[in-house]
Amino acid sequence: MYEQFGISEKIINLSKEVEKEVEPVFEKIQKVCEYNSLKVLKAFQNNRISDMHFNQTTGYGYGDIGRDTCERVFADIFRAEDALVRGQFISGTHALTVALFAFLRPGDTMLSITGKPYDTLDEVIGITENPSSLKSYGINFEKIDLVNNNFDYEKIEERLKKGNIKLIEIQRSKGYSTRKSIKISDLEKVIKCIREYDKEVIIMIDNCYCEFVNEREPLEVGADIIVGSLIKNLGGGIAPNGAYIAGKKNLVKLAAERLTVPGEGKEVGPSLGITKSFLQGIFMAPSVVASSLKTAVFASRMLEKLGYQVEPKYDEERADIVQNINFNDATKLIKYCQGIQMGSPIDSDSIPEPWDMPGYTDKVIMAAGTFTQGSSIELSCDGPIRPPYIAFMQGGLTYEYGKIGVLKAIQNME
Ligand SMILES: *Cc1c(COP(=O)(O)O)cnc(C)c1O
């Protein structure tokens, strides 16, 4: 069958070798998957999920039992007091934006301790001028960069001693950067440190790409609020859109009143038939995240063996589902991404080309042959066309499809 996909015997043989080597890593991924599956199933049973929860509301969405119970399920899984899980969030960026506008007031200061936040937040924060930014409302932004892939404890302590920080943002996944993603143990350590100086500051986690990668989640190590997208890990490839915010009850209330209306908050917002997809999505998510992780581990070792720099290495502890491949060559990066597209179920005959994208300085190539537009829990790969020509690859609804995609991409590039 592989021959019909134009994949050479040399690459097949290498993949057999690699699959033997990565076996112990796959076993660990499987254990985490099983643990998280137990967590999810427990939450379903404790909340007595039943057929009736798949019903929908329209219009204002008053009394939507399915929506409200689905939010209880999310809250239980993440050890949150409350959660907001809505299709009315159009993206992860939207949920992050709602949270920031909900928690911050004019004169407040937001501090990022993982350097500059994700690119799509530039105009939200006002790092890039925008008349609707937080900055335009008189909200200040400060950042402390990571040093050697770790928190800059000295600078963080120094800044907290001066006081007057309303919110600390921590982005766990690396975004389009070459830093490492933040492990849950490192998150735990920095939160302990923050709390020594400030008991009140809101600790908000951009949790995109990190859910279900480990056994523990940020709220379990002291964070106040987590935010993420449902067309990434937690949607399990089934949620057609949406995002979530979970954590302290008072903060979720503020976020709900910002998403909808002060005084109405979580009480409104019709589910329009999306609840079953959210529930089925989070039910599948532990396994889909495991498939994505296996795909990333397999790709990491394959490409390392072919002589490329990869981050993380196949046997390193992971905090997210993203795999960086350093091609050091524009053509190889482009060919690899085009190969990922060729190995996709949707639009496999389209050839992605580097293009100018809003919000990016360099041209970017994006491969995503996905059922859900822009979904990156499905196998997808992109990279800005600038040295050292790094591909950011993630997703894979099943390991088998992920592996085939990676093999096709390698064949296309070699
Ligand atoms: C994807 C992502 C976002 C934004 O999510 P969108 O749904 O694409 O708007 C924010 N932060 C990180 C770290 C992400 O990976």
Side-chain angles (χ1 to χ4, degrees), residues 146 149 172-174 177-182 311-312 316:
L146 295 169
N149 289 310
R172 291 187 65 200
S173 187
K174 66 190 99 166
S177 85
T178 53
R179 72 156 163 101
K180 286 186 192 293
S181 297
I182 306 292
E311 206 293 309
E316 257 177 84

Side-chain angles (χ1 to χ4, degrees), residues 44 46-57 63-70 271 273-276 279:
F44 271 63
N46 286 353
N47 287 285
R48 303 178 63 198
I49 295 299
S50 158
D51 254 358
M52 73 169 184
H53 295 117
F54 304 151
N55 289 337
Q56 60 167 330
T57 55
D64 192 323
I65 293 165
R67 177 198 66 206
D68 295 348
T69 313
C70 176
S271 56
I274 210 173
T275 310
K276 185 174 174 230
L279 286 167

